[in-house]
Amino acid sequence: MRLIKSKEGFTLIELVVVIIVLGILAVIAVPKFIDFRSDADTSVLKGMQGSLKSTRDLVAAQIALRPESLNNAQSRFTLEDGQSIRVRAHYPDGRWNSTFAHLVDFDSVTFVTSNQCTDSNSDTAWCARNRGLGWFTQGGYTTSTVGRGFVIFPRGNNLNNDRCYLYYFTPNDSNVTKMGVLPSVELDLTDCG
């Protein structure tokens, strides 16, 4: 007796069903993978927010402990390592390049002077830009009549069009000799993702 081996394969209907199932899985899974970037951006911004709040509070504590390290105008404070930073009302000033760039080690942040964070002006994933009072009041972030701050936002975004950033705002006059109003360290995640 001889056994005959039959060749079996997938029918056209079976192949079509497999393709449809793979298409359905792709439609369900792809948005979840695409959303990972916005989740990552949000997580990084929240981590930076915590670091900036801690730094703000630590500098205020250092100023309270070592007021002799303030200059006469009380607009600069010398850190223990000899670095001089700008301060407003005994808190770190809201300028990235002359204050926080010396206080935090955010090597993934580049200081820019543009509302765009692009490959041409930043070799890192994040940009920091100083902003004046008008930007914060127009955005609805303060009703203060004095102050300044900076914004950290992801590469590929425009500060005036994409609300996906962390901001630090000091609502204090530059020459206040006593403790001022606590600077804001807040997130706007409206357009993240």
Side-chain angles (χ1 to χ4, degrees):
M1 185 144 111
R2 196 169 156 203
L3 294 172
I4 300 176
K5 292 184 180 180
S6 64
K7 292 183 179 181
E8 292 185 28
F10 292 108
T11 65
L12 183 59
I13 293 175
E14 290 170 329
L15 287 173
V16 168
V17 169
V18 167
I19 290 170
I20 290 171
V21 168
L22 289 174
I24 291 170
L25 288 173
V27 167
I28 293 170
V30 167
K32 294 191 183 294
F33 287 115
I34 290 173
D35 198 39
F36 283 153
R37 177 162 188 250
S38 86
D39 288 347
D41 286 349
T42 300
S43 295
V44 170
L45 286 171
K46 286 180 179 178
M48 287 181 187
Q49 180 186 28
S51 293
L52 293 179
K53 283 182 177 180
S54 296
T55 301
R56 172 198 66 196
D57 298 343
L58 286 170
V59 169
Q62 284 184 18
I63 291 171
L65 292 172
R66 297 185 303 111
E68 68 279 0
S69 294
L70 281 167
N71 67 354
N72 289 339
Q74 300 204 6
S75 61
R76 290 203 166 266
F77 179 73
T78 304
L79 301 171
E80 290 178 352
D81 66 0
Q83 177 68 48
S84 176
I85 61 166
R86 288 186 172 271
V87 294
R88 283 179 168 242
H90 294 207
Y91 287 108
D93 183 56
R95 293 177 227 201
W96 176 263
N97 56 329
S98 60
T99 305
F100 276 90
H102 305 292
L103 295 173
V104 293
D105 188 17
F106 290 175
D107 54 353
S108 62
V109 176
T110 300
F111 177 72
V112 295
T113 57
S114 166
N115 288 328
Q116 285 286 120
C117 186
T118 63
D119 292 337
S120 63
N121 67 357
S122 173
D123 58 350
T124 59
W126 299 89
C127 289
R129 174 141 198 237
N130 293 338
R131 302 306 302 160
L133 176 65
W135 189 88
F136 290 97
T137 55
Q138 288 173 2
Y141 303 125
T142 187
T143 57
S144 180
T145 58
V146 293
R148 67 166 30 105
F150 64 86
V151 184
I152 297 176
F153 57 110
R155 187 166 49 192
N157 282 18
N158 180 299
L159 259 187
N160 292 333
N161 299 331
D162 305 306
R163 285 185 162 216
C164 181
Y165 41 72
L166 161 66
Y167 64 89
Y168 179 94
F169 178 74
T170 308
N172 299 307
D173 198 357
S174 59
N175 293 318
V176 177
T177 58
K178 60 182 170 92
M179 195 75 137
V181 180
L182 189 67
S184 303
V185 184
E186 300 297 335
L187 298 169
D188 188 336
L189 305 175
T190 304
D191 296 329
C192 290

